[in-house]
């Protein structure tokens, strides 16, 4: 008899409908030598009958078994499957999930090639009830590349984070030899089984391929075992499994893995249950605290250094069983960015709460000074707003009261207060909301209390199935500050609340009731539903119609109805109003509109010019543009306008000066009375403007539009004659437009170099302390250029070298700062914490350049700026030939002019970093030549010269 290569054990319980799909995903594998072993956990529906039908339909490939009684978990059926399997390797599949088509082939090939006992691949969570077909990869950084481990100690993150059993392929002889079985009668069996397998395996291989699709239904009526966190037995099981894993690690002497696992427990396992605490009663909380605190007593103290401030605060307050302060902290952790505590101030420091400050450990953990809650503008804070009462009249009127956090009493007692309560439809098309004035708003010390009555039934008019969910917000005005807060349910019981009558604009056969509910994050919302004899039928209609023909008709009608409103804010209409209305208004003398990287940052040369204007006390009105949602990091003194908003367009039309480093919208013409100072954002290695083949390929109309846009520049800053030959010619700029001042952003770098040369000392400054830089290590900044996919889309930056290997080989001598292009983002594995630091969110790169002892880049223009500091540079040009010869091309051969080693492989990079000091001396002359050619005008006075030329009385 032929022995199958792989046996896939499919477990099922009361899932007759989905079982065939799971089994078919195994039968459809590109590897033919696969058998299916179905184990039914004594289902009460027709699951076993379906299993037997599948066995009959696929003789020799499918075998079906049934346990004599239900085990209540996954362990027993999987163990039975291992015993019945005949394949060389074993995999596990749940009946509601599927395998990727090549999973068995890819995993078998890896196992046979490496001789591994265990092969693991990438799991993908598929969110079935998400209308956008959302998928999320399970810890993708673990599977970034193929790797083979001789021991789990080589890569502890695997055991700590990937505790699934289903995305793996096990050598069956290994399971039998080691006596590996799933625990029975206890939940979270995967955690223990995976840990045992990892520790016992003689060799483990990880592959970057997708192997398992984990289907998730967030709003399932019957919650999975792991999602029943409101049941205390669930937490009892979790704690017991963790204790068993800890005992296993201790018996093997794996203390480093235990510490990493403890940090993950604080960040993940504990957090899952803490989020539910505000919604559960005192009896549950007391049992939870007893169980959790017993386990927390054995946590490695070092684990607390690797969690967020809120996670540490929650763990500490749980240990004290301080529910009054813990529950707000848990709410803040669930609702990212929400400030749910009134805070306390002592001796110039700010703390989460006023209790426990007599305890040194409490003061350390509860200190939130660095979070900036006391300095952030009130309007930029997301303040906690908790319901204190909820009543309804059983028909359509509801009475609500609540309290908004008043941090450190920043809303002073005499401040005038006003508020409205807004009901807002959660929809993708258009905005629909109804507001009610709040009857009572008053100061109450640490909080602002409010109460009101809203006649929802006669006022809120949902558009039937379109407006299915409504969120509740309180809009609070305190003097000049305006704040919008979500209303959280808190401890208010909504179970007895009535369904409110509403009058939908579409037929009442679809819906006529508002049912209050608590969202996953604990906030108050209302769901459109129906009541009466037709309730079941209409609810079925709602759920099916959302994606059916009826919904299509409604949505298309709604789109047409809203089209006229949307056109009022369309780009075409805004451009028209800009030219025909705003541009007829008078220019406002002294007004300057600043923009950096199309509003994404407060940074670069526009920032340097602005700050020099402030230093000199020049008479001007600053307006900064920002992109996206709430602006962060912009100066408080300036007026902020959102890019492409009406205030933005009016500001540009009336400004005396435009200052930016990339380009104001191409469609907006500059008025003759406005002076446009283009600081640009870097010298060019790649061809730009009309030197690019794609610009030439646009045809005359496209080229004319581009030329009109660059012709708006009245002044263009350059750093060297290289810029004259490249950027200026690429943009077809006249020589009189060029300002040979250097870049204002580099003034700080010139000054840093001068100070260092005079004193002979490197002063790292406050940024090093903020980032936790070890003073005994050299700092390297890795700043690669922008990367996009072949189709132009932007995704997370992928390291071209193994960042963990870098940390292991060089982390004792160097701290690596990673700063991706502002359009890219990066995800670092936790194992490199402290040795590799992501600084991509530091918008202004200049302080990072000043901090770094050396620069690693590929083709980024930061090389030209860093040259000012006369410090070592390394060029990791792993795709140099492709980059140099692609459609754009380069202005010069980097390898000929680079002021540092140019390496092409990760190993060469590691060797070059290891020989850091040697390269410093070897390339000293090359750095001077590079600076002379590309930075001759960077003399440290660019911002001052520009301010004096354009903005002071002596210069005008």
């Amino acid at each position: 008899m032929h022995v199958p290569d792989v046996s896939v054990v499919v477990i099922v319980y009361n899932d007759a409908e989905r079982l065939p799909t799971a089994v078919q995903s195994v039968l459809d594998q590109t590897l033919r030598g696969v058998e299916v072993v179905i184990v039914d956990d004594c289902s009460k529906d027709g699951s076993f009958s379906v299993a037997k039908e599948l066995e009959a339909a696929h003789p020799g490939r499918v075998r079906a078994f049934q346990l004599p009684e239900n085990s209540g978990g996954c362990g027993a059926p999987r163990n039975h499957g291992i015993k019945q399997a005949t394949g060389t390797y074993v995999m596990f599949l749940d009946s509601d999930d599927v395998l990727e088509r090549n999973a068995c082939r890819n995993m078998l090939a890896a196992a046979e090639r490496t001789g591994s006992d265990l092969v693991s691949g990438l799991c993908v969570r598929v969110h079935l009830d998400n209308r956008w077909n959302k998928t999320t990869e399970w810890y993708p950084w673990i599977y970034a590349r193929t790797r083979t481990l001789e021991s789990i100690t080589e890569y502890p993150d695997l055991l700590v984070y990937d505790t699934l059993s289903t995305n793996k392929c096990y050598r069956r002889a290994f399971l039998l030899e080691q006596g590996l079985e799933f625990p029975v009668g206890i939940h979270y069996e995967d955690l223990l089984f995976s840990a045992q397998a990892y520790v016992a395996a003689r060799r483990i291989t990880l592959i970057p391929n997708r192997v398992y699709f984990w289907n998730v239904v967030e709003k399932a009526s019957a919650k999975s075992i792991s999602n029943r966190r409101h049941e205390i037995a669930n937490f009892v099981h979790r704690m017991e499994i963790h204790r068993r894993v800890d005992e296993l690690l201790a018996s093997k002497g794996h203390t480093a893995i235990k510490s990493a696992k403890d940090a993950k427990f604080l960040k993940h396992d504990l957090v899952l249950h803490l989020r539910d605490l505000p919604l559960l009663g005192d009896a549950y909380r007391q049992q939870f605290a007893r169980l959790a605190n017993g386990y927390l007593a054995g946590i490695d103290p070092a684990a607390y250094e690797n969690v967020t401030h809120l996670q540490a605060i929650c763990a500490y307050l749980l240990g004290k069983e301080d529910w009054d302060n813990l529950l707000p902290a848990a709410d803040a952790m669930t609702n990212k960015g929400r400030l749910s505590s009134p805070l306390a101030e002592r001796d110039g420091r700010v703390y989460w709460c006023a209790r426990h400050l007599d305890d040194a450990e409490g003061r350390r953990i509860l200190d939130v000074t660095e979070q900036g809650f006391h300095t952030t503008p009130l309007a930029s804070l997301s303040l906690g707003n908790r319901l204190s009462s909820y009543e309804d009249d059983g028909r359509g009127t509801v009475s609500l009261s609540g309290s908004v956090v008043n941090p450190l009493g920043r809303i002073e007692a005499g401040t005038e207060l006003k508020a409205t309560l807004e009901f807002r439809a959660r929809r993708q098309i258009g905005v629909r909301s109804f507001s009610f004035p709040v009857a009572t708003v008053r100061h109450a010390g640490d909080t602002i209390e409010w109460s009101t009555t809203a006649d929802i039934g006669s006022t809120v008019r949902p558009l039937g199935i379109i407006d299915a969910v409504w969120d509740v917000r309180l809009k609070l005005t305190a003097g000049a500050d305006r704040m919008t807060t979500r209303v959280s349910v808190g401890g208010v019981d909504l179970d007895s609340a009535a369904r409110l009558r509403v009058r939908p604009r579409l037929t009442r056969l679809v819906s006529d009731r508002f049912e209050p509910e608590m969202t996953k994050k604990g906030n108050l919302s209302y769901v459109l539903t129906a009541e009466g004899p037709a309730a079941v039928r209409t609810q079925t209609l709602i759920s099916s119609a959302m994606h059916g023909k009826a919904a299509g008709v409604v949505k298309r009608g709604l789109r047409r109805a809203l089209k006229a409103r949307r056109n009022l804010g369309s780009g075409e209409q805004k451009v028209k109003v800009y030219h025909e209305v705003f541009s007829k208004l008078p220019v406002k003398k002294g007004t300057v509109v600043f923009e950096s990287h199309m509003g994404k940052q407060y940074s670069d040369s526009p920032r340097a010019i602005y700050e020099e204007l402030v230093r000199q006390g020049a008479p001007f009105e600053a307006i900064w543009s920002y992109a996206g949602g709430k602006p962060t990091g912009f100066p408080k003194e300036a007026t902020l306008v959102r890019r492409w908003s009406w205030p933005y367009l009016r500001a540009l039309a009336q400004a005396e000066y435009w200052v930016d480093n990339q380009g104001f919208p191409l469609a907006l013409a500059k008025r003759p009375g406005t002076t446009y100072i283009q600081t640009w954002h870097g010298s060019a290695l790649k061809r730009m403007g009309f030197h690019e083949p794609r610009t030439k390929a646009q045809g005359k109309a496209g080229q004319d539009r581009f030329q009109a846009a660059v012709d708006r520049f009245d002044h263009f800053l350059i750093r060297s004659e290289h810029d004259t030959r490249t950027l200026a010619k690429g943009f077809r700029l006249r020589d009189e437009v060029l300002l040979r001042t250097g870049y204002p952003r580099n003034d700080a770098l010139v000054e840093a170099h001068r100070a260092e040369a005079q004193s002979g000392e490197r002063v790292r400054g406050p940024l090093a302390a903020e980032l936790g830089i070890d003073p005994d290590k050299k700092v390297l900044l890795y700043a690669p250029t922008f990367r996009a996919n072949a189709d132009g889309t932007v995704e997370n930056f992928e390291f071209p070298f193994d960042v963990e290997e870098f940390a292991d080989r060089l982390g004792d001598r160097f701290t690596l700062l990673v700063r991706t292009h502002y359009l890219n983002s990066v995800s670092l594995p936790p194992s490199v914490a402290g040795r590799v630091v992501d600084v991509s969110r530091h918008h202004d790169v200049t302080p990072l350049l000043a901090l770094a002892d050396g620069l690693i880049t590929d083709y980024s223009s930061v090389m030209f700026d860093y040259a000012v500091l006369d410090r070592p540079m390394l060029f990791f040009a792993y795709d140099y030939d492709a980059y140099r010869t692609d459609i754009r091309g380069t202005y010069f051969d980097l390898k000929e002019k680079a002021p540092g080693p140019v390496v092409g492989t990760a190993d060469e990079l590691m060797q070059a970093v290891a020989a850091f000091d040697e390269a410093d001396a070897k390339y000293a002359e090359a750095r001077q030549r590079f600076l002379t050619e590309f930075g001759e005008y960077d003399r440290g006075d660019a911002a001052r010269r520009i301010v004096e030329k354009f903005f002071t009385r002596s210069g005008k």
Side-chain angles (χ1 to χ4, degrees):
M1 178 180 177
H2 176 68
V3 176
D5 293 313
V6 181
S7 295
V8 180
V9 176
V10 183
I11 64 170
V12 59
Y13 176 69
N14 288 352
D15 198 16
E17 183 178 349
R18 291 179 293 190
L19 177 61
T21 302
V23 171
Q24 194 62 46
S25 77
V26 184
L27 297 175
D28 289 341
Q29 288 291 300
T30 53
L31 179 70
R32 303 311 302 166
V34 180
E35 73 162 350
V36 184
V37 178
I38 304 174
V39 182
D40 174 59
D41 196 12
C42 199
S43 296
K44 294 180 175 61
D45 67 351
S47 293
F48 187 59
S49 297
V50 172
K52 296 298 288 184
E53 291 172 4
L54 290 167
E55 181 182 53
H58 304 280
R61 296 200 67 194
V62 177
R63 292 183 293 134
F65 303 89
Q66 186 178 46
L67 299 185
E69 58 183 10
N70 178 249
S71 69
C74 301
R78 285 178 182 160
N79 291 338
H80 191 75
I82 295 173
K83 294 175 183 177
Q84 297 297 334
T86 61
T88 306
Y89 296 89
V90 176
M91 294 174 63
F92 302 105
L93 173 65
D94 292 345
S95 60
D96 52 347
D97 301 328
V98 294
L99 293 182
E100 195 277 335
R101 191 164 180 263
N102 299 293
C104 292
R105 178 183 295 279
N106 289 333
M107 300 182 95
L108 175 68
E112 296 290 273
R113 184 179 68 253
T114 62
S116 294
D117 292 326
L118 188 161
V119 176
S120 189
L122 187 61
C123 172
V124 180
R125 284 167 59 94
V126 181
H127 301 267
L128 297 180
D129 52 355
N130 181 275
R131 68 175 65 185
W132 312 115
N133 302 313
K134 176 184 174 183
T135 62
T136 54
E137 294 181 338
W138 192 252
Y139 299 114
W141 44 268
I142 291 178
Y143 298 98
R145 64 177 178 85
T146 300
R147 67 166 79 191
T148 297
L149 313 173
E150 300 298 328
S151 167
I152 189 61
T153 58
E154 296 178 19
Y155 196 43
D157 283 354
L158 180 60
L159 182 147
V160 172
Y161 289 93
D162 187 0
T163 56
L164 301 177
S165 65
T166 47
N167 59 333
K168 296 171 178 61
C169 180
Y170 310 84
R171 191 182 298 274
R172 183 167 174 268
F174 158 70
L175 296 179
L176 298 177
E177 289 167 6
Q178 297 294 328
L180 293 180
E181 291 186 339
F182 289 86
V184 177
I186 188 169
H187 304 323
Y188 303 105
E189 55 277 297
D190 269 22
L191 274 70
L192 182 58
F193 180 83
S194 296
Q196 292 172 331
Y198 285 142
V199 170
R202 292 175 291 268
R203 186 171 293 162
I204 302 169
T205 295
L206 311 180
I207 60 175
N209 310 81
R210 294 183 169 194
V211 299
Y212 194 90
F213 292 106
W214 176 3
N215 292 325
V216 180
V217 180
E218 297 286 353
K219 300 176 182 177
S221 56
K223 292 291 185 182
S224 66
I225 292 169
S226 60
N227 283 328
R228 297 179 204 151
R229 292 189 290 272
H230 61 284
E231 300 174 5
I232 195 64
N234 184 291
F235 192 60
V236 171
H237 287 201
R238 186 186 288 272
M239 291 295 91
E240 177 59 26
I241 287 292
H242 273 284
R243 286 191 182 90
R244 294 187 192 183
V245 174
D246 290 346
E247 291 170 1
L248 170 68
L249 297 177
S251 69
K252 302 296 182 180
H254 294 327
T255 55
I257 300 179
K258 169 67 164 61
S259 182
K261 175 184 168 294
D262 285 346
K264 193 246 186 177
F265 176 82
L266 295 173
K267 295 164 66 173
H268 175 72
D269 301 79
L270 185 62
V271 166
L272 287 176
H273 291 269
L274 287 175
R275 287 174 173 170
D276 295 329
L277 284 185
L279 321 176
L280 300 169
D282 291 339
Y284 178 96
R285 293 174 192 164
Q286 290 172 5
Q287 294 183 67
F288 176 82
R290 178 177 54 81
L291 292 165
N293 289 332
Y295 185 78
L296 288 173
I299 289 283
D300 182 353
Y304 286 91
E305 304 299 325
N306 297 311
V307 301
T308 68
H309 74 283
L310 268 175
Q311 290 162 353
I313 286 171
C314 284
Y316 177 82
L317 294 174
L318 177 61
K320 300 294 184 182
E321 296 191 39
D322 181 357
W323 305 110
D324 290 340
N325 290 306
L326 171 58
L327 297 182
D331 177 58
M333 196 159 48
T334 303
N335 295 273
K336 188 176 180 181
R338 178 178 291 176
L339 176 57
S340 53
S341 172
L343 307 177
E345 187 172 2
R346 299 286 188 279
D347 301 322
R349 305 296 294 178
V350 178
Y351 299 92
W352 182 257
C353 58
R355 295 182 64 184
H356 318 296
L357 300 185
D358 54 345
D359 171 26
E361 183 74 356
R363 286 197 306 275
R364 183 182 67 82
I365 292 177
L366 297 172
D367 191 331
V368 294
T369 309
E370 304 307 321
Q371 305 305 313
F373 295 131
H374 57 302
T375 58
T376 302
L378 279 171
S380 298
L381 289 175
S382 177
L383 299 179
N385 184 0
R386 182 182 172 94
L387 274 184
S388 53
S389 69
Y390 180 99
E391 297 178 359
D392 60 69
D393 64 357
R395 296 184 298 277
T397 301
V398 62
S399 296
L400 305 168
S401 63
S403 59
V404 179
V405 167
N406 183 11
L408 300 174
R410 293 180 59 185
I411 303 176
E412 297 179 356
T415 306
E416 182 183 1
L417 302 175
K418 292 187 295 184
T420 57
L421 195 65
E422 179 189 61
F423 290 73
R424 187 184 184 95
R426 192 187 302 172
R427 55 155 69 167
Q428 297 295 324
I429 307 169
V431 175
R432 188 167 182 79
S433 65
F434 297 88
S435 295
F436 301 87
V438 173
T440 303
V441 193
R442 67 182 189 86
H443 295 272
D446 288 342
T447 61
I448 303 296
E449 294 185 350
W450 59 271
S451 62
T452 196
T453 297
D455 184 1
I456 295 174
S458 61
T459 306
V460 178
R461 303 293 305 280
L463 288 174
I465 60 176
I466 299 297
D467 296 334
V469 182
W470 292 68
D471 295 317
V472 183
R473 293 173 168 84
L474 182 82
K475 294 191 171 183
L476 174 65
T477 300
D481 293 311
R482 293 176 174 81
M483 293 149 281
T484 299
T485 67
R486 284 295 304 270
V487 178
S488 66
V489 173
V492 172
D493 182 11
L494 295 179
D495 291 343
S496 58
R499 293 180 173 185
L500 306 175
R501 296 176 183 271
V502 291
R503 295 185 299 127
R505 290 185 179 273
L506 299 181
T507 172
R508 294 190 183 186
L509 290 176
V510 175
S511 56
D512 63 352
R513 295 290 189 275
F514 253 179
E515 182 175 3
E517 75 164 18
M518 183 171 56
T519 68
K520 287 192 302 181
K521 293 188 175 183
N523 298 317
L524 177 64
S525 290
Y526 285 86
V527 177
L528 199 60
T529 183
E531 195 168 83
V536 174
R537 179 174 59 82
T538 54
Q539 285 306 297
T540 302
L541 174 63
I542 290 176
S543 60
S544 62
M546 287 305 294
H547 300 288
K549 291 183 178 180
V553 172
V554 173
K555 291 175 182 177
R556 285 193 295 273
L558 180 62
R559 290 190 184 99
R560 286 193 296 269
L562 295 173
K563 185 176 181 180
R565 181 193 296 180
R566 288 203 307 272
N567 282 344
L568 292 175
S570 68
E572 181 181 353
Q573 184 69 15
K574 285 184 173 180
V575 171
K576 184 176 181 181
V577 172
Y578 171 86
H579 288 109
E580 297 182 4
V581 180
F582 291 159
S583 292
K584 301 297 190 292
L585 299 173
V587 170
K588 297 171 66 175
K589 293 295 183 181
T591 301
V592 189
V593 177
F594 294 92
E595 185 171 284
S596 179
H597 294 300
M598 296 185 289
K600 293 181 174 65
Q601 301 176 357
Y602 171 61
S603 66
D604 214 79
S605 291
R607 172 177 179 170
I609 293 173
Y610 166 78
E611 292 179 351
E612 181 65 21
L613 280 164
V614 174
R615 273 193 295 272
Q616 293 197 26
F620 77 110
E621 178 189 351
I623 300 174
W624 272 91
S625 99
Y626 69 92
K630 287 185 178 180
T632 57
F634 288 85
K636 300 176 185 177
E637 300 79 9
T639 300
L640 304 184
V641 292
R642 184 168 52 82
R643 204 170 195 262
W644 272 112
S645 66
W646 292 112
Y648 172 80
L649 297 174
R650 180 164 182 164
L652 284 177
Q654 293 193 271
E656 185 180 7
Y657 291 97
W658 291 0
V659 179
D660 91 317
N661 66 350
Q662 196 153 340
F664 287 108
L666 302 183
L668 304 181
K670 181 184 69 68
R671 299 173 65 177
T674 300
T675 298
Y676 191 167
I677 302 173
Q678 173 56 260
T679 69
W680 204 239
H681 52 275
S683 298
L685 171 60
K686 271 225 161 172
R687 296 185 178 275
M688 302 291 292
F690 287 100
H691 291 162
E692 291 186 57
R694 63 184 180 185
T695 304
K696 298 175 182 177
Q698 287 181 352
K700 187 176 185 306
Q703 291 183 35
D704 287 347
R705 284 192 298 271
F706 183 78
Q707 187 66 64
V710 297
D711 281 348
R712 297 178 301 173
F713 302 161
D714 295 297
H715 304 283
F716 188 90
L717 274 55
I718 62 172
R719 309 178 61 231
S720 67
E721 289 307 304
H722 166 77
D723 291 349
T724 304
R725 297 188 298 272
T726 56
L727 289 170
K729 290 191 178 299
F731 293 148
R732 296 179 180 174
L733 302 176
R734 305 180 312 279
D735 189 71
E736 57 268 26
V737 171
L738 306 182
L739 286 181
R740 291 170 169 81
T741 60
Y743 283 169
R745 72 182 185 198
N746 288 341
D747 290 349
L749 300 181
V750 175
E751 179 56 34
H753 176 60
R754 285 175 181 163
E756 184 180 338
Q758 291 172 2
S759 67
E761 296 181 4
R762 175 77 49 81
V763 179
R764 286 186 166 177
L767 181 57
E770 178 186 334
L771 297 175
I773 302 296
D774 186 337
D776 295 327
K777 294 182 182 180
K778 289 188 181 296
V779 178
L780 297 179
L781 175 64
Y782 178 45
T785 192
F786 170 66
R787 299 283 177 173
N789 297 323
D791 60 359
T793 58
V794 179
E795 291 190 351
N796 281 2
F797 175 79
E798 294 186 6
F799 280 96
F801 60 91
D802 188 333
V803 68
E804 291 175 297
E805 181 184 358
F806 188 102
D808 291 340
R809 287 176 58 174
L810 301 164
D812 59 335
R813 293 175 53 197
F814 300 93
T815 297
L816 182 67
L817 307 182
V818 178
R819 208 269 190 179
T820 59
H821 189 279
Y822 72 90
L823 291 175
N824 291 129
S825 59
V826 68
S827 178
L828 291 175
S831 59
V832 302
R835 297 174 293 173
V836 183
V837 182
D838 179 17
V839 292
S840 301
R841 293 189 178 183
H842 286 254
H843 289 169
D844 202 345
V845 74
T846 302
L848 298 170
L849 295 174
L851 171 62
D853 297 296
L855 174 71
I856 303 174
T857 187
D858 42 15
Y859 321 106
S860 171
S861 64
V862 296
M863 71 174 80
F864 302 110
D865 304 293
Y866 196 73
V868 171
L869 292 163
D870 190 25
R871 298 176 190 169
M873 285 188 264
L874 303 176
F875 297 86
F876 185 33
Y878 57 92
D879 56 352
Y880 181 72
D881 289 336
Y883 192 89
R884 181 171 57 89
T885 59
D886 79 351
I887 191 171
R888 281 178 66 178
T890 60
Y891 284 116
F892 62 87
D893 189 334
L894 178 63
K895 289 185 177 181
E896 292 181 1
K897 296 182 181 290
V902 180
V903 297
T905 68
D907 191 57
E908 290 174 344
L909 172 65
M910 308 284 185
Q911 293 178 28
V913 172
F916 180 82
D917 294 331
E918 178 184 329
D920 188 3
K922 181 179 178 180
Y923 286 89
E925 292 185 8
R927 290 199 300 271
Q928 287 302 314
R929 290 195 299 270
F930 193 82
L931 177 61
T932 299
E933 181 171 359
F934 299 107
E936 59 186 301
Y937 301 134
D938 273 332
R939 303 184 183 113
D941 60 354
R944 178 181 59 80
R945 292 173 61 188
I946 290 168
V947 169
E948 291 178 352
K949 180 177 178 65
F950 297 104
F951 300 101
T952 63
R953 290 185 176 87
S954 59
K956 294 186 70 171

